[in-house]
Amino acid sequence: MTEDFLHYAWRYQHFQPHHLHTTQGQNLAILAVGELNRHAGPDFTNARLRIDDTLWAGNVEVHIKSSDWLAHHHEQDPAYNNVVLHVVLDDDEPVYRTNGERLPCLELRRLLDPNLCNAYYRMLNNALWIPCQNHWHEVKELTKKLWLERLMVERLEAKTEVVGRLLEQNRGDWEEMCYQVLLRNFGLRVNMDPCEQVARSLPLKLIGRHRDNLLQIEALLFGQAGLLDVEFNDVYPRQLQQEYRFLRQKYGLESLPAGNWKFLRMRPANFPTMRLAQFAVLLYQGSNLFSKILAAHDIEELAHLFSVTLHGYWSEHYTFDKVSTRKLKHLGGNFIELLILNACIPIIFYYGVYTQDTRYCDQALRLMQELPPEENHIIDGWKKLGVVPEDAGNSQALLHLKKEYCEGRRCLHCAVGNAILK
């Protein structure tokens, strides 16, 4: 048994709700269960109860055992002074308020529906890919559709946390934040953190002083990444090295350790050397990327912003001093779609929330639904269950459902899990 299950049982009154009594024999009537509190303090706020002939308004605390009240030191916390009912599975010890009065207690052990408990245990303890795998198709399509729409927004809200963090760190400079978010996402999941560190160590305004010189932009990015701290045979990396040494001294820069970067088991197109070279061209081709992202009307306009092709040295190299087959290397369609999904759309959505302009929030959601669904092992798992996403918004919702709810067995917080238990 978990406290989450008791929260669920109390919230939806999945027990005999009539002729209730406290463990001291007082008559109990539940007029309002209260609002679930997801922050510090009692579990439910603003509950209304009648105990014998007295009407009580206050908070409700839920525990497995009543003695957990003491184990959690609630008797010492003023936030719990307004608790009017203690809801427990087992009342193993009386609990008292700070004024010496015994706290009324409702024991649920004999009141819970055993069928509900068994259904919950089966979902909680099975080894299926998702806990409700055997019952997913029994749930109404409308219930699943509305839940996935909510999860799409929840997933997007989670992604905007990085946007908000970087905007705050940059004191409200939207262009600087956008530059950092974009470079962070150029690293994909594997090199995301070192890419962000490079961006934070190299202000956009500093790069702007050299915007008309691609060699110097590359030198700054590769130099700050710590990738120029070795001896080279090729002329081009030695030129980058020479430029960086001058710029480092001029601006008092300090490079990152080269060991932060990961190349192993990566496709050459995703090598950090490739992505940094492409990002340098992106900065060289134009400025005010945040303003342009915000002004884009559709996926095609956004994709055009990232139309980047490498020439010269990089047409026959994936990394320094190692020749490859000559080939024009550009940002691929799949990579651009990921960049739009994981960087541009969260930026647009956060701007809408920040400015309280719902047009941008709506635009972000619409853009998600214009992108094709992602392809990865989690989406493959859903397809095996017959759940095929129609667009990127749908696939993002399914990813969020699997990672944040199914893997943590948070069935009680899931609309599908709730529908099955009911």
Side-chain angles (χ1 to χ4, degrees):
M1 184 62 67
T2 66
E3 279 192 14
D4 259 0
F5 182 73
L6 295 183
H7 287 168
Y8 170 78
W10 170 259
R11 188 178 183 184
Y12 297 105
Q13 296 191 54
H14 285 310
F15 49 84
Q16 302 292 338
H18 306 295
H19 308 296
L20 295 175
H21 297 86
T22 69
T23 52
Q24 290 179 280
Q26 300 156 303
N27 293 322
L28 171 65
I30 303 169
L31 307 179
V33 297
E35 301 163 10
L36 181 62
N37 176 29
R38 301 189 185 279
H39 306 287
D43 296 316
F44 291 85
T45 59
N46 302 319
R48 290 196 307 117
L49 313 166
R50 179 174 285 108
I51 301 176
D52 282 339
D53 296 324
T54 304
L55 184 65
W56 293 86
N59 304 327
V60 172
E61 179 68 2
V62 179
H63 285 129
I64 299 295
K65 300 179 296 183
S66 55
S67 57
D68 291 338
W69 178 278
L70 301 173
H72 299 165
H73 306 294
H74 293 333
E75 78 282 2
Q76 301 172 13
D77 190 341
Y80 290 82
N81 286 344
N82 199 31
V83 170
V84 295
L85 183 68
H86 198 195
V87 177
V88 300
L89 183 66
D90 295 306
D91 184 21
D92 65 333
E93 186 174 342
V95 172
Y96 296 89
R97 296 192 176 99
T98 53
N99 64 4
E101 292 180 354
R102 185 169 174 178
L103 184 64
C105 179
L106 174 66
E107 188 177 59
L108 294 181
R109 170 72 70 179
R110 295 178 180 83
L111 301 176
L112 292 171
D113 182 351
N115 293 325
L116 176 68
C117 296
N118 290 336
Y120 174 63
Y121 284 134
R122 283 195 299 271
M123 281 211 296
L124 196 65
N125 297 313
N126 67 48
L128 299 172
W129 191 71
I130 60 172
C132 64
Q133 186 167 317
N134 294 334
H135 301 280
W136 172 272
H137 295 288
E138 299 171 8
V139 178
K140 293 179 181 179
E141 289 302 317
L142 180 60
T143 299
K144 291 183 286 193
K145 180 177 182 295
L146 293 175
W147 179 233
L148 290 176
E149 287 176 357
R150 171 62 197 136
L151 291 182
M152 178 178 69
V153 177
E154 195 172 295
R155 174 83 166 179
L156 189 49
E157 288 172 339
K159 287 188 175 185
T160 62
E161 290 177 5
V162 172
V163 177
R165 170 175 63 82
L166 292 177
L167 183 66
E168 183 179 358
Q169 290 173 358
N170 288 290
R171 299 180 180 180
D173 188 329
W174 289 89
E175 288 289 349
E176 187 77 25
M177 173 277 294
C178 179
Y179 151 71
Q180 292 179 4
V181 170
L182 287 174
L183 183 48
R184 170 185 166 87
N185 280 277
F186 260 68
L188 297 174
R189 187 180 300 276
V190 177
N191 286 303
M192 185 173 281
D193 288 340
C195 272
E196 182 183 327
Q197 291 171 26
V198 169
R200 293 177 63 181
S201 73
L202 192 61
L204 183 60
K205 290 179 182 177
L206 191 155
I207 293 177
R209 299 174 189 172
H210 305 273
R211 194 174 296 282
D212 59 348
N213 190 318
L214 179 58
L215 180 73
Q216 291 180 334
I217 296 174
E218 278 193 63
L220 286 166
L221 288 170
F222 282 115
Q224 284 303 100
L227 296 173
L228 299 178
D229 295 337
V230 295
E231 295 296 323
F232 296 111
N233 296 319
D234 291 349
V235 173
Y236 188 68
R238 282 191 272 128
Q239 289 178 322
L240 291 174
Q241 201 172 50
Q242 184 177 357
E243 285 288 341
Y244 178 66
R245 285 171 180 167
F246 168 74
L247 294 170
R248 178 174 59 186
Q249 185 174 3
K250 179 179 179 179
Y251 296 118
L253 300 173
E254 186 175 343
S255 62
L256 302 172
N260 288 349
W261 301 97
K262 295 179 177 63
F263 288 81
L264 192 64
R265 291 189 291 275
M266 294 185 68
R267 292 174 57 247
N270 288 329
F271 280 177
T273 42
M274 281 286 90
R275 295 310 183 197
L276 288 173
Q278 289 164 336
F279 195 75
V281 174
L282 177 66
L283 295 176
Y284 176 70
Q285 287 182 172
S287 57
N288 302 319
L289 284 169
F290 167 71
S291 301
K292 291 174 182 176
I293 289 171
L294 213 59
H297 293 94
D298 52 36
I299 294 298
E300 187 177 352
E301 282 189 45
L302 281 172
H304 182 70
L305 293 176
F306 303 106
S307 179
V308 168
T309 303
L310 297 180
H311 301 277
Y313 181 81
W314 294 111
S315 63
E316 54 185 17
H317 291 80
Y318 285 100
T319 188
F320 297 121
D321 283 352
K322 293 183 180 179
V323 179
S324 65
T325 304
R326 187 174 184 83
K327 179 182 178 182
L328 290 179
K329 301 179 177 72
H330 58 272
L331 286 180
N334 289 340
F335 181 83
I336 290 175
E337 286 173 359
L338 284 175
L339 201 60
I340 292 172
L341 183 62
N342 295 318
C344 298
I345 290 175
I347 287 171
I348 295 169
F349 187 84
Y350 188 80
Y351 182 80
V353 173
Y354 188 90
T355 60
Q356 297 184 341
D357 190 335
T358 57
R359 291 177 300 170
Y360 291 101
C361 297
D362 293 340
Q363 179 188 358
L365 295 172
R366 177 178 54 78
L367 289 169
M368 284 181 74
Q369 294 171 325
E370 287 182 13
L371 285 170
E374 299 145 279
E375 295 182 7
N376 52 53
H377 72 282
I378 293 180
I379 298 302
D380 289 342
W382 283 110
K383 288 179 180 178
K384 289 177 182 177
L385 298 181
V387 184
V388 181
E390 299 174 356
D391 51 53
N394 206 216
S395 63
Q396 283 283 288
L398 290 170
L399 289 172
H400 197 70
L401 176 57
K402 170 64 174 168
K403 291 180 178 180
E404 301 299 325
Y405 290 85
C406 301
E407 290 182 0
R409 293 300 199 258
R410 295 179 60 209
C411 307
L412 299 174
H413 301 276
C414 170
V416 176
N418 268 259
I420 292 168
L421 287 175
K422 287 179 182 177

